[in-house]
Each structure stands twice: as structure tokens, then as C-alpha cells.
Amino acid sequence: MHKFFFTFLLLAIGGNAAAQADVEKGRYLAAAGDCVACHTATNGRPFIGGRPFHTPFGTLYSTNITPDKKTGIGNYTLEDFTAAMRRGEGAHGNLYPAMPYTSYYLIPDEDIASLYTYFMQLPAVEYSAPGNDLFFPANLRFGLKFWNWIFFDKASLSQPEGKSPEWQRGNYLVNGLGHCGECHTPRNFAFAVKSDEKLAGNILEGWDAVDIRSASLHRQGWDKEQLRLLFTTGASERGTAFGEMFSVVKHSLSHLSESDIDAIITYLLDDSAESSENVAGNVGNPQVAAEQHTQGRADFVAYCAGCHGREGRGVTLSFAPPMDRSAAVRGDSPYNTIAVILRGLPAQRMDRTNARAGMPSFHLELDDTRVAGLVNFMRTAWGGAEEPVTPQEVEKIRRQLREEDYLGAAE
Ligand code: HEC
Ligand code: HEC
Ligand code: HEC
């Protein structure tokens, strides 16, 4: 009798611990998949949705994924949840591919189940996102069936032979659960990611979600240690995470285990012979730069040196990143360097102890010719692409940023 009772008690405790472990696993997967970034409005409660997505076809809103029966996913069975995650089939029709089911279809069954367990035990919140404001024919959900038919490539993840288990895990995290390509891969006219240009870079909300293919990362001088710093703290000697990438680090990457971060880095750097040939690259020449770009040098000293140092060496990472090792400066595309100068960067807080003061915008002080001169000075001094930036290029970026409302009202 007693023996029976104790067995029962142990089973109950054991079952509870297993359930708790499943919730914890689901919480981890939700962080790795960064559900909160999209399913939360600015300053809103986590997971209740209402975040707007501006697409070429109008605006749509993420939905409430707390288990509220009326406004959330409270009536979803595990099968319904799986259909939404894997096939983009929601309870009220096909989902728009702003929900990254085109990456999440790679999530294995048992992980989908843990995510389901996690979301179902969250407090239910009653909230409905604003109605979508999409143009015809994008406002008709059944059109998405055709979209899926043409553009949703359900190929299983190709895991080439000869790669380590760590690389393969990274491949899955980057292309599946972590859905890095949803931002870093260019899209076609129908807003579908171009599968033949995976991770090749894409302009997104006025920032360049840069090319993160291994050759490009090596050329910019990224290594294991600097990527680890970027992904865990948001700041490294090669650059800081800003724009949407800040949120990716804050809500997702900085919560991952050391081994998952290592796996992502192993996959991204892909230390094969061909990519490491690109390591050396152009390191620049400050002397030549000062002679060739006198106005650019003068503007750097006047406007930038106070924070980034006269010689571009930066101060401390928590204050301002160095320019003489900057991946943005060294990148093939000058887009982010130009956009940062024009827009500035807002103060940001990663967590209680890690915050950055931000950078002022210079779109009023510096005209297109001066910005081009400044960028050319920096690229010549610290190792950017040789092709000079023209005032016309700056003008084009400035116009686009102004049209999309990223330069503030004054001008
Ligand atoms: C890149 C943005 C983005 C991310 C990341 C994202 N979602 Fe979504 N999700 C959306 C949008 C937008 C919708 C609404 C789509 C629509 O209305 O057609 C949506 C809809 C859903 C739905 C359907 C809900 C309903 O109303 O029927 C579920 C379930 C869901 N998401 C779960 C998740 C989970 C779980 C994660 C994390 C693993 C996640 N989402 C990550 C953007 C995102
Ligand atoms: C008040 C201090 C301050 C001044 C002045 C300043 N910056 Fe910055 N800059 C920062 C900080 C801080 C960051 C990182 C902010 C972040 O990521 O949140 C940054 C980031 C950058 C970046 C992005 C690099 C990366 O990947 O993080 C570039 C490029 C840059 N600054 C160039 C310039 C140029 C050019 C000027 C002069 C026109 C300038 N900055 C003036 C503080 C400053
Ligand atoms: C929601 C959009 C979004 C997602 C998802 C995203 N990124 Fe980014 N990422 C950006 C943007 C925008 C930038 C450019 C700003 C910057 O440099 O921080 C960027 C920059 C980067 C950089 C260069 C940072 C620098 O300072 O030069 C790396 C490396 C990177 N991302 C890796 C990743 C990885 C790995 C993932 C998936 C785990 C990922 N990103 C997912 C938007 C995104």
C-alpha cells in the first residue's frame, strides 16, 4: 500500500518535472526562433501581436499567439499549430509569408510539440491586432495557395557530406529555426526569398541586412571571437548590431547556448580553403587617404573623431566601435556606412548592464558630396572596396530614406 503510494507520488513528481522541462525547451526554441520580435508591437505585451509589417502590397499585422480562445490560439490543437508553423495554414486561412513558415517548415516534430506546450501554458491575453490594409489581390488569402504553389520550396535542408555535426546544426539554426535568410536573402517581385542567392544581403527598413555568406564575412575580417561577441553582446570590434539586428541579438541570439552559437558561427564562417583565401583583403592606408580626401579627413576629425577616435580606433566597445576594423567600412556595399551617417543610431539597451548611447544623425550637416568624401576617406584609410562612392549614390540613399520617413521631419 505504502509502496504503491510512493510510486504514485514519484511518478507524479517525475511527470511534472518532465512537463516543466518541455516548457523550458519550448521557451528556448521560442527564443531561438525569435517569435517575440514579430508577435509583439512596440512597447506591447509579448506575443499578443499587433506589430505592423510594411510590404509592397500594403500593411499586415502579426496576430495574438497567446492561448486566448477568442483572439489568440487557444483553440489550436497541436495539428493546427503544426499546420501554421510548417505550411502557413492558419485557422482562418493561409498565412502571409511574413510569418516565416518558409523557414520554420524545417523544425522537427518534437520541437514543434515543445513550442506548442510552451505557448499553451502562457497567460491568455485578449487582444486583436488591427485589421490588415492590403491591396487587391494580396488581400485575398486564397491567393496565397498559388503563392505557396509557385514559391514555397519545401526541399529538405541539404546537409552536404563531409561537414561536421556542428556545421550541420548551424546550417539548421541559420536556415530553419533562426530564419536568418528571411532578412538576409534578397526577395523577388512577389516578396519570395530568392533561394539561389541565400544570405546574399537585402535592404530592409532602410538598412542593409548585409551579405553574410562566408566569403564576405572573411573579407571583412570576421572571425570566431568577434562573431561570438556580436551575437552574445551586440558589440564587437568589427561592428555593432543595429536596426533589426539589434532585436535579433537581444531577443534571440543572446539567449542561445554556447554550443548553438558556436554551431552558427562554424556554419557561417565555413572554414574551407577557398573562403580563407579571402582573409587578408585590403587593410587600407590612412596616409594615402588623408592626402586623397582632405575634406573627408577634416570632416572625420570634426564630426566623428570625438567618439570614434582621431585615428578611428574607437574608445571602448560600450562607448563607440572602432572604424579602423569596421566590417561596415570594409564591406563591398557602402550602404550601411552612408545610412548610419545620415540617420544616426538610437540609444539602445540590451539588458541591465549593457547599453549604448547611440550616435547623432548628420543628414543636416553634411551634403551628398561631403558624405561621399567622408566615406571615401574612411574606406581608403581602413580598407574598404576600391570603387569610390559618388555623391549620386549618397543622394539616392538619402532620397529613399527620406521617402520612407527615416530621416525625421526636419530638413
Ligand atoms: C518575421 C516575423 C515573424 C516571426 C519571427 C514569427 N511570426 Fe508567427 N506570424 C507572423 C505574422 C505576420 C503572422 C500573421 C500572418 C497572417 O495573418 O497571415 C503570424 C502568424 C502566426 C500564427 C497563426 C496565428 C493565427 O492567428 O492563426 C502562429 C501560430 C504563429 N505565427 C506562431 C509563431 C511562432 C511559434 C513563432 C516562433 C517560433 C513565430 N510565429 C514567429 C510573423 C512572424
Ligand atoms: C556621440 C558619439 C558619436 C559620434 C559623434 C559619431 N558616432 Fe558613429 N557610432 C557611435 C556609436 C555609439 C555607434 C554604435 C551604436 C549602436 O550600434 O547602437 C556608432 C556606430 C557607427 C557606425 C556603424 C559601425 C558598426 O557596425 O557599429 C559607423 C559606420 C559610424 N558610427 C560612423 C560614424 C561617422 C562617419 C561619424 C561622423 C560623421 C560618427 N560615426 C560620429 C557614436 C558616435
Ligand atoms: C529581422 C531581420 C534580421 C534577421 C532575422 C537577422 N538579421 Fe542579421 N542583420 C540584419 C540587419 C538589418 C543587419 C545590418 C545592421 C548591423 O550590421 O547590425 C544585420 C547584420 C548582421 C551581421 C553583420 C553585423 C555587422 O556589424 O556588420 C551578421 C553577422 C548577421 N546579421 C548575422 C545574422 C544571423 C546569424 C542571423 C540569424 C540567426 C541574422 N543575422 C538574422 C537583420 C536581420
Side-chain angles (χ1 to χ4, degrees):
M1 169 74 194
H2 282 297
K3 213 164 147 195
F4 175 78
F5 179 74
F6 277 118
T7 314
F8 177 77
L9 197 67
L10 280 176
L11 272 177
I13 294 171
N16 236 331
Q20 194 52 40
D22 205 30
V23 170
E24 284 311 313
K25 185 179 162 206
R27 187 197 312 281
Y28 182 85
L29 295 166
D34 208 2
C35 319
V36 75
C38 291
H39 283 278
T40 308
T42 315
N43 300 323
R45 284 187 64 168
F47 303 123
I48 69 170
R51 177 184 159 171
F53 289 82
H54 306 288
T55 75
F57 319 108
T59 304
L60 81 145
Y61 294 86
S62 61
T63 48
N64 183 348
I65 53 169
T66 71
D68 182 54
K69 288 205 184 295
K70 215 160 83 201
T71 59
I73 57 169
N75 291 322
Y76 265 60
T77 61
L78 175 58
E79 286 67 38
D80 296 337
F81 186 76
T82 308
M85 295 290 291
R86 285 258 187 74
R87 301 193 295 277
E89 292 166 12
H92 309 289
N94 280 81
L95 299 175
Y96 289 98
M99 162 69 185
Y101 61 89
T102 46
S103 299
Y104 289 161
Y105 77 95
L106 292 167
I107 304 174
D109 283 341
E110 75 252 34
D111 288 3
I112 298 264
S114 301
L115 279 164
Y116 179 75
T117 309
Y118 170 68
F119 279 99
M120 285 303 159
Q121 56 80 55
L122 287 176
V125 181
E126 189 177 330
Y127 169 81
S128 295
N132 294 337
D133 186 12
L134 296 162
F135 323 125
F136 178 82
N139 56 343
L140 303 176
R141 284 188 186 267
F142 69 76
L144 291 162
K145 288 197 198 311
F146 296 99
W147 191 95
N148 285 334
W149 186 54
I150 301 170
F151 296 115
F152 184 14
D153 178 7
K154 276 178 245 160
S156 58
L157 187 63
S158 121
Q159 293 282 23
E161 273 175 51
K163 297 291 188 187
S164 64
E166 193 182 38
W167 188 99
Q168 297 189 347
R169 171 81 182 150
N171 185 9
Y172 164 69
L173 286 169
V174 166
N175 297 300
L177 186 56
H179 65 277
C180 315
E182 298 283 336
C183 293
H184 283 275
T185 302
R187 289 177 186 269
N188 68 13
F189 65 94
F191 215 56
V193 295
K194 297 184 181 167
S195 45
D196 52 344
E197 291 178 46
K198 230 159 127 180
L199 307 178
N202 176 38
I203 305 294
L204 178 101
E205 305 195 347
W207 296 117
D208 181 7
V210 291
D211 183 343
I212 54 169
R213 291 173 299 181
S214 65
S216 173
L217 293 176
H218 281 287
R219 201 158 50 236
Q220 291 170 301
W222 285 106
D223 59 20
K224 246 184 137 130
E225 179 53 19
Q226 295 306 321
L227 281 176
R228 197 187 57 75
L229 273 172
L230 177 75
F231 293 159
T232 53
T233 69
S236 77
E237 296 202 340
R238 296 282 170 211
T240 55
F242 52 88
E244 283 295 303
M245 192 62 198
F246 179 83
S247 152
V248 172
V249 173
K250 177 169 174 159
H251 298 295
S252 180
L253 291 170
S254 65
H255 299 274
L256 296 195
S257 67
E258 232 177 283
S259 62
D260 277 348
I261 289 293
D262 283 348
I264 290 175
I265 295 172
T266 301
Y267 170 76
L268 289 177
L269 288 178
D270 190 22
D271 289 309
S272 56
E274 54 199 287
S275 48
S276 34
E277 273 171 24
N278 292 309
V279 176
N282 173 6
V283 289
N285 186 329
Q287 204 105 40
V288 171
E291 284 159 20
Q292 283 179 356
H293 306 284
T294 33
Q295 184 64 48
R297 166 77 190 159
D299 283 336
F300 187 82
V301 172
Y303 293 109
C304 324
C307 292
H308 293 292
R310 256 185 101 83
E311 309 307 324
R313 294 205 185 101
V315 185
T316 55
L317 277 185
S318 55
F319 183 65
M323 291 291 109
D324 62 348
R325 282 147 278 172
S326 162
V329 174
R330 282 188 187 185
D332 282 342
S333 160
Y335 190 100
N336 279 346
T337 306
I338 295 171
V340 166
I341 295 171
L342 295 176
R343 296 174 69 164
L345 290 165
Q348 299 266 35
R349 179 165 283 283
M350 189 68 73
D351 55 40
R352 260 185 336 134
T353 55
N354 177 358
R356 289 198 303 264
M359 168 173 154
S361 70
F362 293 93
H363 69 106
L364 298 177
E365 284 86 350
L366 299 172
D367 64 18
D368 299 331
T369 309
R370 299 265 293 277
V371 172
L374 176 56
V375 174
N376 286 328
F377 163 73
M378 294 166 73
R379 279 154 64 105
T380 310
W382 301 309
E386 278 171 23
E387 192 69 21
V389 170
T390 63
Q392 288 72 28
E393 268 174 272
V394 179
E395 199 272 329
K396 206 172 136 208
I397 295 174
R398 188 193 292 263
R399 186 155 25 92
Q400 178 220 335
L401 293 176
R402 195 187 300 127
E403 276 164 11
E404 292 178 15
D405 233 6
Y406 294 119
L407 293 185
E411 199 168 12

